[in-house]
């Protein structure tokens, strides 16, 4: 049985969630922090029941959506944090998905408790000495009352308007001397056109809801091996192995293939792998050739 990306709100999705395959009969699969273009497969499974498959697809949709949103924002050069309230249980699954997209950290406040040695956890509005804080969260119509220096200012209830954002950014930087200007975005705002508009105005975003960017489907077909040429930006679908691009001779990067041994990538290296893959991604969908 082949599970594949049916739709993604972006030209490509960043895969996350291979650890959910543990205990299943895995024929071939995509490793975490690997970009996948719809309708490419993400896993081929054998002897899986309908109930298990439905639960698997439901969890994968959330994890891939979060990793994809993070990766796209990183792709355009912005910093990305996840607000702790956006991470339902099991929290570690969503932390690993955030890392697979290249997230910079998790922000928490007095009402949220997350402890993790996998990702940087930063408490907002907390003094760190000498009347300074790491990050301040505020509504621009109700500025922070205390006189502090802040590394970064995070705006909630943001207006997606370039002129408005520039005025707010410049005013808050003059008050707090902050180096970073970030905005909070919910599910409705995590869209490509909005991110593209923000990239020259803000330094980063804070995701406050797990987005819904991906739909998955399955069928009874076998999954082809898929190899991507980062020079031609072509994905070759083939039943066999390919090492070099038949067009330009450059090395191919595997998207999905039969691995000798099922292996979940160590969470501490997920962000490094994501950042490496994002360097090769483009703003459009790769061309797919059955070879």
């Amino acid at each position: 049985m082949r599970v594949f990306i049916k739709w993604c709100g972006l030209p490509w999705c960043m895969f996350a969630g291979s650890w959910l395959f543990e205990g299943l009969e895995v024929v071939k699969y995509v490793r975490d922090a690997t970009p996948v273009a719809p309708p490419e497969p993400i896993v081929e499974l054998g002897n899986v029941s309908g109930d298990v498959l439905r639960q698997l697809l439901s969890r994968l949709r959330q994890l891939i959506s979060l990793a994809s949103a993070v990766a796209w924002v990183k792709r355009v050069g912005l910093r990305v944090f996840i607000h702790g309230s956006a991470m339902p249980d099991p929290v570690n699954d969503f932390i690993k998905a955030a890392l697979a997209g290249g997230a910079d950290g998790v922000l928490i406040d007095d009402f949220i408790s997350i402890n993790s040695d996998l990702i940087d956890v930063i408490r907002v509005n907390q003094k760190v000495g000498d009347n300074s804080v790491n990050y301040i969260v505020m509504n621009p119509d109700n500025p922070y009352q205390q006189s502090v220096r802040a590394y970064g200012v995070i705006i909630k209830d943001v207006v997606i308007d370039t002129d408005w954002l520039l005025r707010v950014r410049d005013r808050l930087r003059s008050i707090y001397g902050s180096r970073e200007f970030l905005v909070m975005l919910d599910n409705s705002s995590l869209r490509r056109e909005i991110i593209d508009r923000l990239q020259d105005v803000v330094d980063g975003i804070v995701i406050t809801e797990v987005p819904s960017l991906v739909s998955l489907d399955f069928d009874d077909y076998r999954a082809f091996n898929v190899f991507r040429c980062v020079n031609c930006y072509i994905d070759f679908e083939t039943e066999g192995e390919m090492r070099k691009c038949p067009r330009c001779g450059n090395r191919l990067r595997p998207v999905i293939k039969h691995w000798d041994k099922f292996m979940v990538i160590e969470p501490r290296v997920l962000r490094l792998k994501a950042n490496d893959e994002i360097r090769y991604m483009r703003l459009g969908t790769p061309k797919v050739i059955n070879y």
Side-chain angles (χ1 to χ4, degrees):
M1 182 172 292
R2 178 188 69 145
V3 177
F4 59 93
I5 301 285
K6 185 176 181 181
W7 178 85
C8 181
L10 301 168
W12 44 262
C13 302
M14 184 66 87
F15 177 71
S18 73
W19 57 90
L20 302 181
F21 305 152
E22 291 184 287
L24 302 178
E25 184 182 322
V26 180
V27 179
K28 59 183 65 174
Y29 69 106
V30 172
R31 285 184 172 169
D32 297 290
T34 299
V36 183
E40 289 177 337
I42 55 175
V43 64
E44 182 181 335
L45 300 168
N47 299 321
V48 58
S49 70
D51 288 342
V52 170
L53 184 60
R54 282 189 290 272
Q55 293 176 15
L56 176 66
L57 295 187
S58 177
R59 294 181 66 189
L60 280 175
R61 286 187 194 102
Q62 290 184 301
L63 299 177
I64 297 173
S65 290
L66 179 60
S68 301
V70 173
W72 186 260
V73 178
K74 296 291 290 185
R75 172 65 182 79
V76 300
L78 298 178
R79 300 250 286 163
V80 186
F81 294 92
I82 317 296
H83 197 275
S85 62
M87 292 190 169
D89 290 326
V91 171
N92 274 345
D93 278 1
F94 290 90
I95 287 177
K96 286 187 284 188
L99 289 170
D104 294 287
V106 174
L107 298 181
I108 61 173
D109 53 32
D110 293 336
F111 303 100
I112 300 169
S113 177
I114 292 179
N115 296 309
S116 175
D117 59 355
L118 302 179
I119 194 169
D120 293 335
V121 179
I122 302 169
R123 183 175 294 277
V124 297
N125 296 343
Q126 183 182 48
K127 288 189 176 182
V128 295
D130 298 327
N131 292 323
S132 66
V133 296
N134 286 328
Y135 291 92
I136 298 173
V137 178
M138 66 173 60
N139 186 312
D141 296 327
N142 185 24
Y144 204 74
Q145 298 301 313
Q146 295 181 348
S147 177
V148 297
R149 291 182 294 107
Y151 181 82
V153 176
I154 302 169
I155 300 300
K156 56 184 179 179
D157 300 325
V158 65
V159 176
I160 307 299
D161 177 81
T162 301
D163 291 337
W164 183 89
L165 284 167
L166 287 172
R167 287 196 303 271
V168 172
R169 183 192 69 181
D170 294 343
R171 178 167 62 91
L172 294 178
R173 279 181 171 170
S174 66
I175 295 173
Y176 300 107
S178 53
R179 298 182 184 178
E180 288 192 351
F181 179 71
L182 297 90
V183 295
M184 285 186 167
L185 297 182
D186 59 15
N187 190 8
S188 65
S189 302
L190 282 171
R191 303 197 306 271
R192 177 180 176 178
E193 59 270 22
I194 289 180
I195 298 302
D196 289 345
R197 289 170 61 186
L198 292 176
Q199 67 180 86
D200 295 322
V201 182
V202 304
D203 299 298
I205 71 165
V206 178
I207 295 176
T208 61
E209 290 181 284
V210 174
S212 180
L213 298 177
V214 176
S215 65
L216 306 177
D217 208 342
F218 64 93
D219 56 35
D220 291 325
Y221 297 113
R222 293 174 51 213
F224 283 108
N225 293 334
V226 179
F227 300 91
R228 177 172 298 154
C229 176
V230 297
N231 180 54
C232 302
Y233 209 51
I234 293 175
D235 285 3
F236 296 95
E237 293 185 344
T238 174
E239 291 189 3
E241 292 286 319
M242 297 181 70
R243 294 182 181 274
K244 292 186 178 181
C245 175
R247 291 198 168 194
C248 71
N250 277 354
R251 181 173 63 91
L252 297 173
R253 302 169 76 85
V255 176
I256 184 170
K257 61 174 291 188
H258 174 79
W259 304 98
D260 293 334
K261 180 181 178 182
F262 180 76
M263 181 181 69
V264 177
I265 296 177
E266 168 64 39
R268 289 174 179 81
V269 303
L270 276 177
R271 183 190 290 162
L272 296 176
K273 183 177 184 301
N275 290 336
D276 183 55
E277 291 285 354
I278 289 170
R279 287 191 298 119
Y280 294 102
M281 295 303 101
R282 302 183 186 177
L283 301 183
T285 306
K287 182 179 179 181
V288 178
I289 294 180
N290 190 298
Y291 192 78

